Amino acid sequence: MRRAWLLAVVCVCAPARLSAQTDLRALAATAASAWTAHDFARVVGAGRVEVRISGVSAAGPLPSDQAVAVLVNHVRGAEEVEVTVVTVLAVSELSGYAELRRWFRPVGVGGSQEETVLLGFTRAKGAGGNLGPWGVGVVEVVGRSGR
């Protein structure tokens, strides 16, 4: 259901400028690299972030230190195999998203597992209509399967 609203938003809105797409692609690549290193402070940044993980009760946007703690707990006991950027899309000049694919191996368990991580990006307009930097507003972990 959550993925459906994201796709609906993508289909309805006009495409954003190429420069915004490039900025988001770089941000998504940085997030993938940071996730690989379990450096979640780099993934979520300094603002409030909504973290959505199946089985974890939703509490709305969390301060960054709490969002980091939730993500650290989620990956506890896992060794990252690979985290790649699958899709990056600027929905508008103020919002966009990235889909990451995460392959990991639970410690002590043979075989790797796969997860999809969706990142929702936002930015604000400042004085004079200038756009601020992109930030992560949502981290959603969806779908898990073996490999």
Side-chain angles (χ1 to χ4, degrees):
M1 179 67 177
R2 289 182 186 149
R3 205 170 194 179
W5 72 261
L6 192 58
L7 292 175
V9 169
V10 170
C11 293
V12 171
C13 296
R17 297 177 310 203
L18 181 59
S19 63
Q21 195 77 12
T22 303
D23 293 345
L24 283 178
R25 186 161 298 285
L27 185 56
T30 298
S33 174
W35 191 293
T36 300
H38 290 179
D39 183 357
F40 298 110
R42 278 185 45 219
V43 173
V44 302
R48 295 181 69 82
V49 178
E50 186 172 344
V51 179
R52 302 174 188 160
I53 301 173
S54 180
V56 176
S57 122
L62 301 170
S64 59
D65 60 333
Q66 291 178 17
V68 167
V70 170
L71 293 171
V72 165
N73 188 56
H74 176 68
V75 301
R76 189 177 318 281
E79 175 185 70
E80 300 302 320
V81 174
E82 183 178 20
V83 180
T84 60
V85 177
V86 177
T87 304
V88 178
L89 184 64
V91 178
S92 74
E93 65 181 7
L94 301 177
S95 66
Y97 83 96
E99 178 182 342
L100 307 181
R101 189 74 26 89
R102 171 186 183 231
W103 288 276
F104 63 98
R105 187 176 303 106
V107 175
V109 177
S112 61
Q113 295 183 5
E114 177 183 338
E115 269 184 344
T116 298
V117 177
L118 301 175
L119 302 175
F121 300 111
T122 60
R123 65 180 173 178
K125 279 192 177 180
N130 295 327
L131 296 173
W134 289 104
V136 174
V138 177
V139 176
E140 181 172 2
V141 178
V142 296
R144 181 179 275 196
S145 64
R147 180 172 168 183

